[in-house]
């Protein structure tokens, strides 16, 4: 399970960086649905780091609220899963 979270968070961080680069170059972008979906499915930490390190999507209310919520949700789920095992 830890490997799943590590891979997903690294991947999420990378797609936030790619989207920021594409935004600067005014090219085709990664959809907000994909960015938020990656955070929802366990990449919340990678999304949050990507948002602030790349200064990307930090002014959008959806990202300011949802990304930290998704991160906390998965942290709670992870702690519960570890305790049950």
């Amino acid at each position: 399970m830890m490997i799943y979270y590590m891979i997903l968070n690294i991947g999420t961080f990378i797609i936030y960086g790619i989207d920021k680069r594409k935004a600067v170059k005014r090219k085709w972008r990664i959809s907000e649905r994909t960015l938020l979906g990656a955070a929802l499915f366990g990449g919340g930490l990678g999304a949050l780091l990507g948002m602030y390190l790349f200064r990307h999507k930090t002014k959008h209310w959806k990202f300011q609220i949802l990304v930290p919520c998704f991160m906390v949700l998965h942290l709670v789920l992870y702690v519960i899963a570890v305790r049950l095992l």
Side-chain angles (χ1 to χ4, degrees):
M1 192 155 88
M2 180 64 99
I3 293 171
Y4 167 80
Y5 280 114
M6 287 174 54
I7 291 170
L8 190 58
N9 278 286
I10 290 168
T12 302
F13 179 78
I14 289 169
I15 65 170
Y16 272 72
I18 291 169
D19 192 53
K20 175 62 176 193
R21 177 176 283 180
K22 288 182 177 207
V24 169
K25 293 184 176 188
R26 299 190 184 272
K27 294 193 174 191
W28 173 86
R29 305 276 304 280
I30 298 169
S31 71
E32 287 187 354
R33 177 181 281 177
T34 300
L35 294 171
L36 287 172
L40 172 64
F41 289 108
L45 179 60
L48 199 62
L49 290 173
M51 283 174 60
Y52 289 101
L53 289 174
F54 299 123
R55 294 186 183 138
H56 189 52
K57 301 288 188 187
T58 55
K59 294 182 180 180
H60 291 75
W61 70 267
K62 283 191 282 189
F63 287 84
Q64 289 178 346
I65 294 169
L66 293 176
V67 169
C69 287
F70 295 155
M71 187 178 73
V72 170
L73 171 69
H74 279 279
L75 180 62
V76 169
L77 291 174
Y78 182 78
V79 168
I80 290 169
V82 168
R83 286 191 175 184
L84 291 176
L85 298 176

